[in-house]
Structure formats: C-alpha cells, structure tokens
C-alpha cells in the first residue's frame, strides 16, 4: 500500500510527522514544484518524499490536506480516481451556499470521480495532530466516516499503524455530520481531543 499527502501546510506537515514517527514512507505534494518544499520535508525525516502532484497521486491512499476551495484543482490531476481512497482532512467554515446542504466531504467526493472517500484526521488542530498520539495508557482518537463501507477498513488500519485509535462514525450524513461544519456552527466532535484506553 502506498500513501501520499496532498497539501503541505500545517495539517499536511502534521500528518507527515505521524508517518515519520513510525518510519513509514509517504509522498508529499502541492501544486508547486517539489523543490520549493523539499527542505521542509527533509526536516521532518527521510521517509517524507517530495513529489510532483502527478507523481504523488499514483499512491493508493491519498490524504487531501489542502484548503477546501483548492480541492477541484487537485481533482484535475487524474481523469479518474478509480481504485484510490481519498482521506478528506479538509474543513470549511462558514459553509458556502454552493454545498446545497451537503456535508462538505460529500461535495468533495463528487470532484474525485471513482474514488472512495473517507472523512478523517480533520477534527484536530495541526499541533495536536502532529504530537505523538500514544499517551499514558491510551491512543488519540481519529474519527472516520464514509458512504463507502469498504473504504473505512484500510484507513482505520493505517490510523492504527500511525498510533491513533480509529472510531467509525458511519455515513457522511449520519455520524459524519459530527465532524463537519453546518452553516456557521462546527460539528460537536470538531476540536475534541479524546483518547481511547487500551482494553
């Protein structure tokens, strides 16, 4: 299984740190030339590989860590996203009217034709996401939701590999609404820093 992070701002770098901590290789890309962020990637660790967007999207599981309004530009990188899983780590607030009442991830899913989309890793601020998720007797929780049942299992497995405790919320318009903004209010689980104790 290969992994990529698209977007290398605070959230993208926080995710890269989680991969580096476990010695897992991940490609990182933006719409810019890889040379422009190569030194930032190198500072995180040797397993963080700067690539062009065209090369990074060859990965099987791709974190979307760009600003919400930039997701259509990323989606243009491939004519079809068949066989790929997108982890939507974006947040949009306040919610723009063009979403027509859809959760923002359902709107994002439309742009990535053929992909399986999982909302996840979006509810924590970057500094918390970048910190070691294993603390005394527990693992930091990440919430996962998707309209595609099969998509959550590999993302949950990756979350565990990175040291997090995945908690499934069901479909995007069911439990998934807890990690989305609605109009001018955040979902109830946004910014909640929770831990799951080892049983």
């Amino acid at each position: 299984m290969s992994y990529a992070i698209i977007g290398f701002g605070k959230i993208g770098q926080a995710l890269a740190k989680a991969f580096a901590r476990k010695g897992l290789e991940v490609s990182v890309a933006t719409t810019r030339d890889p040379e422009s962020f190569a030194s930032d990637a190198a500072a995180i660790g040797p397993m963080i590989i700067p690539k062009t967007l065209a090369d990074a999207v060859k990965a099987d599981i791709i974190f979307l860590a760009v600003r919400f309004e930039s997701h259509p530009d990323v989606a243009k990188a491939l004519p079809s996203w068949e066989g790929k899983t997108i982890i939507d780590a974006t947040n949009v607030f306040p919610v723009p009217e063009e979403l027509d009442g859809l959760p923002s991830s359902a709107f994002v899913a439309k742009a990535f034709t053929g992909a399986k989309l999982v909302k996840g890793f979006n509810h924590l601020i970057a500094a918390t996401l970048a910190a070691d998720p294993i603390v005394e007797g527990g693992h930091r929780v990440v919430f996962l939701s998707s309209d595609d049942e099969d998509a959550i299992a590999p993302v949950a497995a990756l979350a565990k590999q990175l040291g997090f405790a995945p908690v499934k919320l069901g479909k995007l318009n069911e439990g998934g609404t807890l990690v989305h903004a609605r109009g001018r209010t955040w979902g109830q689980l946004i910014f909640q820093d929770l831990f799951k104790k080892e049983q």
Side-chain angles (χ1 to χ4, degrees), residues 11 66-69 88-93 104 119 121-124 179-181 186 190-191:
I11 294 293
V66 295
R67 288 201 316 270
F68 174 80
E69 54 273 22
D88 179 16
T90 67
N91 286 311
V92 59
F93 186 84
S104 59
K119 179 75 164 180
F121 293 84
N122 69 296
H123 82 284
L124 296 168
V179 288
H180 280 84
W186 288 108
I190 294 272
F191 309 132

Side-chain angles (χ1 to χ4, degrees), residues 14 25 34-35 38 42 44 47 52 59 64-65 102 118 122 124-125 127 134 138 163 173 190:
E25 186 174 299
E35 286 303 308
I44 295 172
M47 304 299 270
T52 62
L64 188 63
L102 282 176
V118 176
N122 69 296
L124 296 168
I125 61 168
I134 301 169
N173 66 352
I190 294 272

Side-chain angles (χ1 to χ4, degrees), residues 17-161:
K17 285 172 185 168
F19 275 85
R21 198 178 291 117
K22 295 293 181 180
L24 289 173
E25 186 174 299
V26 65
S27 305
V28 293
T30 69
T31 49
R32 305 190 316 273
D33 186 288
E35 286 303 308
S36 67
F37 54 90
S39 61
D40 290 334
I44 295 172
M47 304 299 270
I48 313 306
I49 316 295
K51 288 192 177 175
T52 62
L53 183 57
D55 279 340
V57 296
K58 292 174 184 169
D60 303 308
I61 294 182
I62 298 162
F63 284 88
L64 188 63
V66 295
R67 288 201 316 270
F68 174 80
E69 54 273 22
S70 302
H71 79 266
D73 298 331
V74 177
K76 289 177 194 150
L78 285 176
S80 166
W81 293 80
E82 203 70 47
K84 303 204 176 282
T85 299
I86 303 287
I87 301 172
D88 179 16
T90 67
N91 286 311
V92 59
F93 186 84
V95 175
E97 282 176 22
E98 71 258 26
L99 268 58
D100 286 334
L102 282 176
S104 59
S105 291
F107 191 81
V108 168
K110 288 189 195 177
F112 290 87
T113 315
K116 293 176 177 180
L117 184 132
V118 176
K119 179 75 164 180
F121 293 84
N122 69 296
H123 82 284
L124 296 168
I125 61 168
T128 305
L129 190 60
D132 191 337
I134 301 169
V135 290
E136 274 180 67
H139 295 252
R140 181 168 275 122
V141 166
V142 289
F143 297 105
L144 305 176
S145 57
S146 180
D147 289 344
D148 194 315
E149 267 304 299
D150 305 340
I152 289 188
V155 177
L158 173 61
K160 279 186 180 168
Q161 223 181 331

